[in-house]
Amino acid sequence: MPMHSTSKQLWRDVQVFDGLAQLDEAMNVLVEDGRIAGLWPSRTFDEALAQGAVEVGSGGVMTPGLVDCHTHLVYAGNRAGEFEQRLEGVSYETIARNGGGILSSVRATRTASEDELIAASLPRLDALLADGVTTLEIKSGYGLTVESELKMLRVARRLGELRPVRVLTTLLGAHALPPEYAGRADDYVSLVCDEMIPAAARERLADAVDVFCEGIGFSPAQCERVFQAARAHGLAIKAHAEQLSNLGGSALAARYGALSADHIEYLDEAGVRAMAEAGTVAVLLPGAFHVLRETQLPPIELLRQYGVPMAVASDANPGTSPICMPTLMANLACTLFRLTPREALAGMTAHGARALGLHDLGCIAVGAPADLCLWGIRQPAELAYAVQAGRLRQRVFNGVVTYAR
Ligand code: NIG
Ligand code: FE
């Protein structure tokens, strides 16, 4: 991984989206020692600050490096066949209940070696990086045994060493019931709580723990056991909740101080209130909504009213969102969920970082780590408006330009 550069680097005349909003006028941005050292309007050129700086870019739009706070990037195989089945009218739930869906990816992932998983996942990671991602979360959940869940987490950590990117890892042992535990879901939850979580914590392989709280996943009572184990091991909590039905999983997660509740199409007002009170971020996953051709919209207006921060993520996974293009997610968040472009971009920067508990990332402010994107566009809203690969001109990770075209 490149170390940060010690020389001063200057960007001139950029339109800045600072993580929450576009700044009023063109700015100069100075980076030093891996951090943002100066940010001032271009018309008031600061000679003293810029002294000795190397100019590395000018013009265009600068945003924080994008934060993809919810991905299942590590897996083997693919599910193109199920895509065709769904187009013929078979539902995601029916496919899952017949042993396909998540379990189909589990079969492929269990037999893959770490190196094979790296080889399968790197192109997906590279696609995210080429579209501006500097921080991402990667979940396990296609192993469902202690050893194969840890294998997935090790692969996720290794991916973060192979590329200039921050990877946070999440143990999603409670993703689906593996076939060997059929009819014994509570016993499987015991395996997650008593063995997987302690092992992942001991080996420092997981930053957080996630669950799939759903009819085809785990009940709220089972998820609560997982949250208690996560808490006991000092791991952050996240939940896939209210994706296909309303079981109250988001409110439950909020009661456990969850960083985020994700999907949330079926979230009701009580759930929104619980999230607002706990400071739990709402992670919107428009890719999964789009691919599953869902019709139930997440309660965007209620989330706004209660001031719940909304993050937007790719949910990149082989079943419900085989899409590795974060700026497309910004577009879908606007077209499908009617977020404003400003909200969608905040969802992929400041609020995405918050959904990972990273409060100094996802923003352009003096003192923040210099994870930045320079885009060949004129206004930040264009990132959500147009769907077009190749607009990233420079990607800066930890103060180092790691990509330039
Ligand atoms: O975020 N909802 C559950 N988990 C994933 C999908 C996993 C899969 O189908 O492989 C999701 O949509
Ligand atoms: Fe997911």
Side-chain angles (χ1 to χ4, degrees):
M1 192 183 300
M3 301 295 291
H4 61 69
S5 145
T6 46
S7 62
K8 285 186 181 182
Q9 303 172 90
L10 178 69
W11 282 262
R12 286 162 64 106
D13 274 323
V14 292
Q15 298 295 328
V16 171
F17 180 86
D18 72 356
L20 292 174
Q22 178 175 4
L23 302 186
D24 288 338
E25 54 186 319
M27 304 293 283
N28 288 351
V29 181
L30 186 74
V31 168
E32 191 174 12
D33 292 332
R35 295 197 171 256
I36 298 169
L39 176 67
W40 68 94
S42 324
R43 62 181 164 77
T44 59
F45 194 78
D46 191 323
E47 293 287 348
L49 253 181
Q51 185 93 55
V54 178
E55 185 173 321
V56 272
S58 70
V61 166
M62 183 173 274
T63 66
L66 302 187
V67 179
D68 194 348
C69 69
H70 179 143
T71 86
H72 309 247
L73 207 72
V74 172
Y75 59 85
N78 74 68
R79 309 227 298 268
E82 287 179 13
F83 177 61
E84 293 192 47
Q85 276 181 277
R86 283 204 310 276
L87 292 175
E88 285 158 13
V90 189
S91 76
Y92 180 65
E93 280 135 306
T94 302
I95 292 171
R97 290 192 198 283
N98 291 334
I102 294 170
L103 291 183
S104 142
S105 296
V106 168
R107 285 187 290 275
T109 304
R110 279 184 177 177
T111 53
S113 69
E114 279 188 34
D115 287 345
E116 286 165 343
L117 286 173
I118 293 273
S121 308
L122 259 184
R124 296 190 281 266
L125 178 61
D126 285 337
L128 294 180
L129 267 53
D131 203 35
V133 168
T134 50
T135 297
L136 81 157
E137 183 252 24
I138 301 179
K139 302 176 194 294
S140 66
Y142 295 122
L144 312 184
T145 63
V146 176
E147 211 18 74
S148 57
E149 285 292 300
L150 297 183
K151 172 178 74 178
M152 288 188 70
L153 294 171
R154 275 194 296 270
V155 168
R157 288 269 197 248
R158 270 179 65 192
L159 287 171
E161 290 156 14
L162 289 169
R163 292 292 185 267
V165 65
R166 290 188 173 75
V167 172
L168 278 85
T169 56
T170 299
L171 174 69
L172 178 52
H175 195 196
L177 188 64
E180 61 275 18
Y181 277 87
R184 297 188 295 133
D186 285 320
D187 291 344
Y188 180 66
V189 173
S190 297
L191 178 76
V192 173
C193 296
D194 301 341
E195 296 187 40
M196 272 182 206
I197 291 175
R202 193 169 52 239
E203 298 189 32
R204 298 190 179 283
L205 284 171
D207 303 303
V209 171
D210 196 348
V211 298
F212 186 20
C213 186
E214 192 60 66
I216 55 169
F218 294 88
S219 70
Q222 291 163 340
C223 293
E224 183 160 12
R225 291 176 56 202
V226 176
F227 295 158
Q228 283 165 350
R231 177 186 273 178
H233 287 86
L235 297 174
I237 289 169
K238 303 174 83 69
H240 285 70
E242 274 73 70
Q243 179 186 13
L244 308 168
S245 62
N246 181 3
L247 298 184
S250 304
L252 173 70
R255 278 208 301 284
Y256 277 84
L259 286 176
S260 70
D262 305 34
H263 287 289
I264 61 165
E265 278 85 345
Y266 286 81
L267 185 66
D268 60 17
E269 184 161 1
V272 174
R273 191 180 309 117
M275 289 173 65
E277 282 165 5
T280 298
V281 175
V283 176
L284 305 175
L285 304 170
F289 180 94
H290 162 68
V291 169
L292 293 182
R293 304 173 68 240
E294 295 288 344
T295 51
Q296 170 81 26
L297 287 164
I300 302 298
E301 199 44 53
L302 280 174
L303 293 165
R304 285 188 185 119
Q305 273 170 32
Y306 280 84
V308 176
M310 293 182 280
V312 175
S314 71
D315 197 16
N317 78 72
T320 64
S321 190
I323 306 177
C324 298
M325 189 178 188
T327 55
L328 171 60
M329 295 301 147
N331 174 271
L332 294 177
C334 297
T335 53
L336 299 176
F337 296 165
R338 307 199 55 190
L339 262 60
T340 65
R342 188 197 66 72
E343 286 173 321
L345 293 181
M348 306 192 63
T349 52
H351 294 160
R354 187 162 163 186
L356 296 175
L358 302 171
H359 293 269
D360 63 340
L361 286 178
C363 64
I364 296 182
V366 173
D371 286 4
L372 303 165
C373 289
L374 187 70
W375 306 89
I377 55 177
R378 297 164 72 108
Q379 297 296 321
E382 288 174 50
L383 280 182
Y385 151 73
V387 177
Q388 189 179 332
R391 292 176 293 177
L392 185 66
R393 292 214 313 237
Q394 289 176 349
R395 177 183 174 281
V396 182
F397 178 70
N398 243 351
V400 176
V401 178
T402 58
Y403 175 90
R405 55 178 279 153

